[in-house]
PDB file of all heavy atoms in Angstrom:
ATOM      1  N   ARG A 256      -4.111  54.400 -12.210  1.00  0.00           N
ATOM      2  CA  ARG A 256      -5.304  54.942 -11.552  1.00  0.00           C
ATOM      3  C   ARG A 256      -5.013  55.330 -10.099  1.00  0.00           C
ATOM      4  O   ARG A 256      -5.534  56.338  -9.604  1.00  0.00           O
ATOM      5  CB  ARG A 256      -6.428  53.916 -11.635  1.00  0.00           C
ATOM      6  CG  ARG A 256      -7.031  53.813 -13.027  1.00  0.00           C
ATOM      7  CD  ARG A 256      -8.027  52.703 -13.182  1.00  0.00           C
ATOM      8  NE  ARG A 256      -8.870  52.922 -14.354  1.00  0.00           N
ATOM      9  CZ  ARG A 256      -9.334  51.962 -15.140  1.00  0.00           C
ATOM     10  NH1 ARG A 256      -9.032  50.694 -14.893  1.00  0.00           N
ATOM     11  NH2 ARG A 256     -10.120  52.254 -16.176  1.00  0.00           N
ATOM     12  N   LYS A 314      -9.525  72.594  24.913  1.00  0.00           N
ATOM     13  CA  LYS A 314      -8.617  72.821  26.030  1.00  0.00           C
ATOM     14  C   LYS A 314      -9.010  71.827  27.118  1.00  0.00           C
ATOM     15  O   LYS A 314     -10.197  71.573  27.329  1.00  0.00           O
ATOM     16  CB  LYS A 314      -8.719  74.248  26.550  1.00  0.00           C
ATOM     17  CG  LYS A 314      -8.245  75.308  25.564  1.00  0.00           C
ATOM     18  CD  LYS A 314      -8.359  76.703  26.171  1.00  0.00           C
ATOM     19  CE  LYS A 314      -7.879  77.771  25.186  1.00  0.00           C
ATOM     20  NZ  LYS A 314      -8.010  79.138  25.752  1.00  0.00           N
ATOM     21  N   TYR A 362     -21.497  37.281  28.314  1.00  0.00           N
ATOM     22  CA  TYR A 362     -20.280  36.816  28.970  1.00  0.00           C
ATOM     23  C   TYR A 362     -20.341  37.017  30.482  1.00  0.00           C
ATOM     24  O   TYR A 362     -19.346  36.796  31.172  1.00  0.00           O
ATOM     25  CB  TYR A 362     -19.061  37.559  28.419  1.00  0.00           C
ATOM     26  CG  TYR A 362     -18.807  37.324  26.955  1.00  0.00           C
ATOM     27  CD1 TYR A 362     -18.940  38.362  26.034  1.00  0.00           C
ATOM     28  CD2 TYR A 362     -18.453  36.063  26.472  1.00  0.00           C
ATOM     29  CE1 TYR A 362     -18.714  38.158  24.681  1.00  0.00           C
ATOM     30  CE2 TYR A 362     -18.233  35.854  25.120  1.00  0.00           C
ATOM     31  CZ  TYR A 362     -18.362  36.904  24.230  1.00  0.00           C
ATOM     32  OH  TYR A 362     -18.140  36.692  22.900  1.00  0.00           O
ATOM     33  N   GLY A 444      -3.483  62.297  14.243  1.00  0.00           N
ATOM     34  CA  GLY A 444      -3.573  62.755  12.861  1.00  0.00           C
ATOM     35  C   GLY A 444      -4.997  62.815  12.343  1.00  0.00           C
ATOM     36  O   GLY A 444      -5.349  63.690  11.547  1.00  0.00           O
ATOM     37  N   ARG A 448      -8.056  67.271  13.411  1.00  0.00           N
ATOM     38  CA  ARG A 448      -8.478  68.181  12.345  1.00  0.00           C
ATOM     39  C   ARG A 448      -9.989  68.047  12.138  1.00  0.00           C
ATOM     40  O   ARG A 448     -10.691  67.598  13.028  1.00  0.00           O
ATOM     41  CB  ARG A 448      -7.686  67.868  11.073  1.00  0.00           C
ATOM     42  CG  ARG A 448      -6.199  68.151  11.265  1.00  0.00           C
ATOM     43  CD  ARG A 448      -5.348  67.890  10.042  1.00  0.00           C
ATOM     44  NE  ARG A 448      -5.299  66.482   9.687  1.00  0.00           N
ATOM     45  CZ  ARG A 448      -5.801  65.980   8.551  1.00  0.00           C
ATOM     46  NH1 ARG A 448      -6.386  66.763   7.687  1.00  0.00           N
ATOM     47  NH2 ARG A 448      -5.698  64.697   8.291  1.00  0.00           N
ATOM     48  N   LEU A 563      -2.133  53.882  -0.561  1.00  0.00           N
ATOM     49  CA  LEU A 563      -2.654  52.537  -0.325  1.00  0.00           C
ATOM     50  C   LEU A 563      -4.029  52.602   0.327  1.00  0.00           C
ATOM     51  O   LEU A 563      -4.913  51.795   0.032  1.00  0.00           O
ATOM     52  CB  LEU A 563      -1.677  51.730   0.543  1.00  0.00           C
ATOM     53  CG  LEU A 563      -0.456  51.154  -0.177  1.00  0.00           C
ATOM     54  CD1 LEU A 563       0.395  50.333   0.773  1.00  0.00           C
ATOM     55  CD2 LEU A 563      -0.863  50.307  -1.384  1.00  0.00           C
ATOM     56  N   THR A 569      -9.780  51.953  -4.452  1.00  0.00           N
ATOM     57  CA  THR A 569     -10.679  52.630  -5.386  1.00  0.00           C
ATOM     58  C   THR A 569     -10.241  52.375  -6.823  1.00  0.00           C
ATOM     59  O   THR A 569     -11.073  52.165  -7.717  1.00  0.00           O
ATOM     60  CB  THR A 569     -10.709  54.135  -5.094  1.00  0.00           C
ATOM     61  OG1 THR A 569     -10.992  54.340  -3.706  1.00  0.00           O
ATOM     62  CG2 THR A 569     -11.775  54.827  -5.917  1.00  0.00           C
ATOM     63  N   ARG A 600     -13.891  58.551   8.651  1.00  0.00           N
ATOM     64  CA  ARG A 600     -14.584  59.308   9.691  1.00  0.00           C
ATOM     65  C   ARG A 600     -15.607  58.467  10.437  1.00  0.00           C
ATOM     66  O   ARG A 600     -16.427  59.003  11.184  1.00  0.00           O
ATOM     67  CB  ARG A 600     -15.277  60.526   9.078  1.00  0.00           C
ATOM     68  CG  ARG A 600     -14.404  61.335   8.141  1.00  0.00           C
ATOM     69  CD  ARG A 600     -13.156  61.872   8.820  1.00  0.00           C
ATOM     70  NE  ARG A 600     -12.327  62.634   7.883  1.00  0.00           N
ATOM     71  CZ  ARG A 600     -11.266  63.333   8.237  1.00  0.00           C
ATOM     72  NH1 ARG A 600     -10.885  63.369   9.489  1.00  0.00           N
ATOM     73  NH2 ARG A 600     -10.565  63.991   7.336  1.00  0.00           N
ATOM     74  N   LEU A 602     -16.934  55.095   8.838  1.00  0.00           N
ATOM     75  CA  LEU A 602     -17.712  54.290   7.885  1.00  0.00           C
ATOM     76  C   LEU A 602     -18.997  55.006   7.492  1.00  0.00           C
ATOM     77  O   LEU A 602     -20.051  54.386   7.302  1.00  0.00           O
ATOM     78  CB  LEU A 602     -18.033  52.907   8.460  1.00  0.00           C
ATOM     79  CG  LEU A 602     -16.898  52.134   9.146  1.00  0.00           C
ATOM     80  CD1 LEU A 602     -17.393  50.751   9.586  1.00  0.00           C
ATOM     81  CD2 LEU A 602     -15.687  51.994   8.240  1.00  0.00           C
ATOM     82  N   TYR A 614     -30.997  50.208  -3.682  1.00  0.00           N
ATOM     83  CA  TYR A 614     -31.667  48.987  -4.102  1.00  0.00           C
ATOM     84  C   TYR A 614     -31.894  48.131  -2.860  1.00  0.00           C
ATOM     85  O   TYR A 614     -31.075  48.159  -1.938  1.00  0.00           O
ATOM     86  CB  TYR A 614     -30.835  48.234  -5.148  1.00  0.00           C
ATOM     87  CG  TYR A 614     -30.498  49.100  -6.336  1.00  0.00           C
ATOM     88  CD1 TYR A 614     -29.298  49.811  -6.396  1.00  0.00           C
ATOM     89  CD2 TYR A 614     -31.398  49.245  -7.386  1.00  0.00           C
ATOM     90  CE1 TYR A 614     -29.005  50.641  -7.473  1.00  0.00           C
ATOM     91  CE2 TYR A 614     -31.109  50.068  -8.476  1.00  0.00           C
ATOM     92  CZ  TYR A 614     -29.913  50.758  -8.503  1.00  0.00           C
ATOM     93  OH  TYR A 614     -29.627  51.582  -9.566  1.00  0.00           O
ATOM     94  N   ALA A 621     -24.546  40.158  -1.840  1.00  0.00           N
ATOM     95  CA  ALA A 621     -23.236  40.201  -1.196  1.00  0.00           C
ATOM     96  C   ALA A 621     -22.602  41.558  -1.378  1.00  0.00           C
ATOM     97  O   ALA A 621     -22.880  42.270  -2.354  1.00  0.00           O
ATOM     98  CB  ALA A 621     -22.314  39.131  -1.776  1.00  0.00           C
ATOM     99  N   GLY A 632       3.609  42.100  -3.510  1.00  0.00           N
ATOM    100  CA  GLY A 632       3.808  40.963  -4.393  1.00  0.00           C
ATOM    101  C   GLY A 632       2.887  39.785  -4.115  1.00  0.00           C
ATOM    102  O   GLY A 632       2.147  39.765  -3.124  1.00  0.00           O
ATOM    103  N   PRO A 633       2.926  38.772  -4.974  1.00  0.00           N
ATOM    104  CA  PRO A 633       2.013  37.634  -4.886  1.00  0.00           C
ATOM    105  C   PRO A 633       2.209  36.819  -3.598  1.00  0.00           C
ATOM    106  O   PRO A 633       3.319  36.716  -3.076  1.00  0.00           O
ATOM    107  CB  PRO A 633       2.392  36.787  -6.110  1.00  0.00           C
ATOM    108  CG  PRO A 633       3.087  37.727  -7.038  1.00  0.00           C
ATOM    109  CD  PRO A 633       3.797  38.706  -6.160  1.00  0.00           C
ATOM    110  N   ASP A 649     -16.364  30.381   1.329  1.00  0.00           N
ATOM    111  CA  ASP A 649     -16.279  29.070   0.701  1.00  0.00           C
ATOM    112  C   ASP A 649     -16.112  29.216  -0.810  1.00  0.00           C
ATOM    113  O   ASP A 649     -15.346  28.487  -1.444  1.00  0.00           O
ATOM    114  CB  ASP A 649     -17.526  28.240   1.018  1.00  0.00           C
ATOM    115  CG  ASP A 649     -17.724  28.021   2.511  1.00  0.00           C
ATOM    116  OD1 ASP A 649     -16.751  28.207   3.270  1.00  0.00           O
ATOM    117  OD2 ASP A 649     -18.848  27.668   2.919  1.00  0.00           O
ATOM    118  N   ILE A 662      -7.166  29.843   1.540  1.00  0.00           N
ATOM    119  CA  ILE A 662      -7.563  30.912   2.438  1.00  0.00           C
ATOM    120  C   ILE A 662      -7.115  30.603   3.865  1.00  0.00           C
ATOM    121  O   ILE A 662      -7.003  29.446   4.268  1.00  0.00           O
ATOM    122  CB  ILE A 662      -9.084  31.161   2.392  1.00  0.00           C
ATOM    123  CG1 ILE A 662      -9.877  29.990   2.988  1.00  0.00           C
ATOM    124  CG2 ILE A 662      -9.541  31.444   0.971  1.00  0.00           C
ATOM    125  CD1 ILE A 662     -11.363  30.288   3.144  1.00  0.00           C
ATOM    126  N   ALA A 702      10.270  33.905   4.943  1.00  0.00           N
ATOM    127  CA  ALA A 702       9.031  33.585   5.657  1.00  0.00           C
ATOM    128  C   ALA A 702       8.412  34.792   6.335  1.00  0.00           C
ATOM    129  O   ALA A 702       7.188  34.894   6.453  1.00  0.00           O
ATOM    130  CB  ALA A 702       9.305  32.483   6.682  1.00  0.00           C
ATOM    131  N   LYS A 752     -28.243  30.034  -5.646  1.00  0.00           N
ATOM    132  CA  LYS A 752     -28.427  30.038  -4.197  1.00  0.00           C
ATOM    133  C   LYS A 752     -27.794  31.283  -3.596  1.00  0.00           C
ATOM    134  O   LYS A 752     -26.659  31.623  -3.904  1.00  0.00           O
ATOM    135  CB  LYS A 752     -27.796  28.786  -3.581  1.00  0.00           C
ATOM    136  CG  LYS A 752     -28.062  28.624  -2.097  1.00  0.00           C
ATOM    137  CD  LYS A 752     -27.468  27.317  -1.585  1.00  0.00           C
ATOM    138  CE  LYS A 752     -27.770  27.128  -0.106  1.00  0.00           C
ATOM    139  NZ  LYS A 752     -27.165  25.876   0.416  1.00  0.00           N
ATOM    140  N   LYS A 763     -26.736  36.383  11.111  1.00  0.00           N
ATOM    141  CA  LYS A 763     -27.605  35.416  10.436  1.00  0.00           C
ATOM    142  C   LYS A 763     -29.086  35.689  10.714  1.00  0.00           C
ATOM    143  O   LYS A 763     -29.908  35.655   9.794  1.00  0.00           O
ATOM    144  CB  LYS A 763     -27.237  33.999  10.882  1.00  0.00           C
ATOM    145  CG  LYS A 763     -28.000  32.887  10.148  1.00  0.00           C
ATOM    146  CD  LYS A 763     -27.489  31.521  10.561  1.00  0.00           C
ATOM    147  CE  LYS A 763     -28.259  30.403   9.887  1.00  0.00           C
ATOM    148  NZ  LYS A 763     -28.078  30.415   8.418  1.00  0.00           N
ATOM    149  N   GLN A 775     -43.306  37.320   2.769  1.00  0.00           N
ATOM    150  CA  GLN A 775     -44.673  37.349   3.297  1.00  0.00           C
ATOM    151  C   GLN A 775     -45.566  38.335   2.542  1.00  0.00           C
ATOM    152  O   GLN A 775     -45.114  39.258   1.930  1.00  0.00           O
ATOM    153  CB  GLN A 775     -44.644  37.704   4.786  1.00  0.00           C
ATOM    154  CG  GLN A 775     -43.987  36.624   5.624  1.00  0.00           C
ATOM    155  CD  GLN A 775     -43.878  37.022   7.086  1.00  0.00           C
ATOM    156  OE1 GLN A 775     -44.258  38.127   7.487  1.00  0.00           O
ATOM    157  NE2 GLN A 775     -43.355  36.114   7.913  1.00  0.00           N
TER     158      GLN A 775
END
Side-chain angles (χ1 to χ4, degrees):
R256 286 173 161 145
K314 294 181 180 179
Y362 297 114
R448 295 181 294 115
L563 281 182
T569 308
R600 312 301 179 172
L602 314 183
Y614 305 94
D649 300 342
I662 68 172
K752 186 177 182 182
K763 185 175 178 64
Q775 294 176 358

